[in-house]
């Protein structure tokens, strides 16, 4: 396994398909350039790691943890969804919201999106004890909750018009009220074909996902592409419109490929530096 010497990898490695969207400091350029000091007076940078089901986010998070041990990495709370406390004492398995969602999406989608979004919000707002990490990376976000999953469930008829309207109303209200506290500074978008994601999903073999079809992964892929690549999804938060996005092609198998891992980590490092050097936003975090 790699030592993830990101800086070393920059010198020798061939470029990997990646691009930065939406940042004036790095936009459209090769992101492997790197840069100097901090432009955000040390305030933590908050990033979300986005991508289709089984594209490799947890795997990527582990690589980030090895390469940047001082960062705080927040995994998606799948285990919580599999055992919701309130349902756990009834019949075995009854507290498994993920299973219910996949078995009966029209019945459970609204419940699921309410619970998942609440959890994501709590994670984004959490102020962990101890020394502040310079960078926090969340596996998915309140934004993918809405602009990928909930939107897709509405468009495929599993959330009805009323549920979708209610979800959007509290989502917009909460995020507008929370303002900077819930703001992110950039996205890392892991991108692979839906077919590749399906292969990985089968390999991982999570019981609840046994019925997941290629079509569902294609739909989610399209939602990600519209939201993060084409930016054609209508978003409701001004700071989201020009949010810097690092798009990383992870279609290739890098699990056993130390050189490829180093390149990916170097690209993330360079992206982060470009964000840290950006002028401090009008309403910065307190430092
Ligand atoms: N680049 C890769 N090449 C080959 N296999 C990979 C790669 N990345 C991840 N995998 C494998 O694919 C499976 C899914 O990966 P992982 O659990 O990291 O996906 P995920 O994006 O976190 O999934 P979810 O959307 O469900 O949270 C795992 O078995 C993992 O070992
Ligand atoms: N409907 C729905 N909304 C979400 O916000 C969401 N986030 C994750 N998931 C599903 C995908 C994986 O099976 C599993 C782990 O990522 O959970 C979601 N499903």
């Amino acid at each position: 396994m790699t030592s993830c010497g990101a800086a070393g990898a920059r010198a020798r490695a061939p470029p990997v398909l990646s691009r930065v969207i939406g940042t004036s400091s790095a936009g459209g350029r090769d992101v492997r350039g790197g840069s100097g000091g901090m432009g955000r007076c040390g305030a933590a940078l908050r990033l979300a790691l986005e991508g289709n089901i089984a594209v490799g986010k947890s795997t990527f998070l582990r690589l980030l943890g090895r390469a940047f041990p001082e960062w705080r990495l927040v995994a998606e709370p799948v285990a919580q969804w599999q055992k919701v406390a309130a349902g756990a004492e009834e019949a075995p398995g009854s507290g498994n919201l993920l299973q219910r969602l996949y078995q009966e999406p029209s019945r459970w989608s609204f419940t699921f999106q309410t619970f998942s979004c609440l959890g994501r919000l709590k994670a984004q707002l959490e102020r962990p004890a101890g020394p502040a990490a310079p960078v926090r990376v969340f596996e998915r976000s309140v934004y993918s909750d809405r602009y990928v999953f909930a939107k897709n469930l509405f468009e495929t008829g599993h959330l009805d018009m009323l549920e979708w309207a209610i979800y959007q109303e509290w989502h917009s209200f909460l995020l507008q009220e929370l303002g900077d506290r819930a703001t992110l500074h950039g996205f890392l978008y892991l991108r692979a074909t839906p077919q590749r994601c399906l292969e990985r999903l089968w390999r991982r073999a999570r019981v609840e996902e046994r019925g997941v079809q290629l079509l569902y992964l294609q739909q989610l892929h399209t939602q990600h592409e519209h939201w993060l690549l084409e930016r054609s999804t209508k978003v409701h938060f001004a700071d989201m419109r020009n949010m810097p996005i690092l798009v990383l092609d992870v279609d290739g198998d890098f699990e056993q490929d130390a050189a490829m891992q180093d390149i990916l980590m170097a690209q993330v490092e360079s992206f982060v530096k470009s964000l840290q050097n950006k002028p401090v936003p009008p309403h910065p975090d307190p430092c």
Side-chain angles (χ1 to χ4, degrees), residues 7-20:
R10 271 203 299 278
R12 61 182 156 77
V16 171
L17 257 186
S18 86
R19 64 192 117 154
V20 176

Side-chain angles (χ1 to χ4, degrees), residues 227-281:
W227 173 42
L228 295 173
L229 208 63
E230 298 159 22
R231 303 194 99 151
S232 55
T233 299
K234 182 175 186 290
V235 293
H236 304 78
F237 309 96
D239 58 352
M240 280 287 298
R241 295 198 186 107
N242 293 309
M243 188 72 73
I245 301 168
L246 175 63
V247 184
L248 293 160
D249 179 347
V250 295
D251 212 58
D253 186 341
F254 61 76
E255 269 199 306
Q256 310 302 329
D257 185 338
M260 183 72 88
Q261 292 174 9
D262 281 352
I263 295 167
L264 290 164
M265 294 303 107
Q267 289 172 334
V268 173
E269 184 182 39
S270 187
F271 178 67
V272 163
K273 283 185 177 165
S274 76
L275 297 183
Q276 287 171 329
N277 287 331
K278 271 180 84 167
V280 178

Side-chain angles (χ1 to χ4, degrees), residues 98-113:
L98 189 64
Q99 188 165 32
R100 289 186 187 217
L101 170 77
Y102 279 122
Q103 281 179 352
E104 226 185 321
S106 295
R107 164 67 184 83
W108 290 102
S109 287
F110 184 77
T111 311
F112 189 93
Q113 296 313 138

Side-chain angles (χ1 to χ4, degrees), residues 29-88:
R29 283 195 272 125
D30 185 338
V31 296
R32 289 170 295 125
S35 50
M38 303 271 285
R40 298 178 45 83
C41 60
L45 207 64
R46 293 192 291 261
L47 307 178
L49 181 62
E50 303 287 358
N52 210 340
I53 301 177
V55 71
K57 294 179 298 302
S58 309
T59 305
F60 199 82
L61 219 55
R62 279 194 291 279
L63 295 182
L64 289 176
R66 235 173 277 158
F68 310 107
E70 70 282 15
W71 291 9
R72 180 168 162 73
L73 309 170
V74 183
E76 207 170 42
V78 181
Q80 268 180 36
W81 303 339
Q82 289 169 317
K83 195 170 183 179
V84 179

Side-chain angles (χ1 to χ4, degrees), residues 50-56 189-200 217-218 220-222 224-225 247-254:
E50 303 287 358
N52 210 340
I53 301 177
V55 71
Y189 172 29
L190 300 190
R191 187 165 180 258
T193 60
Q195 185 59 51
R196 181 73 74 230
C197 294
L198 189 64
E199 288 162 20
R200 290 177 187 167
L217 299 183
Q218 286 168 333
L220 295 179
H221 179 74
T222 301
H224 279 96
E225 297 283 280
V247 184
L248 293 160
D249 179 347
V250 295
D251 212 58
D253 186 341
F254 61 76

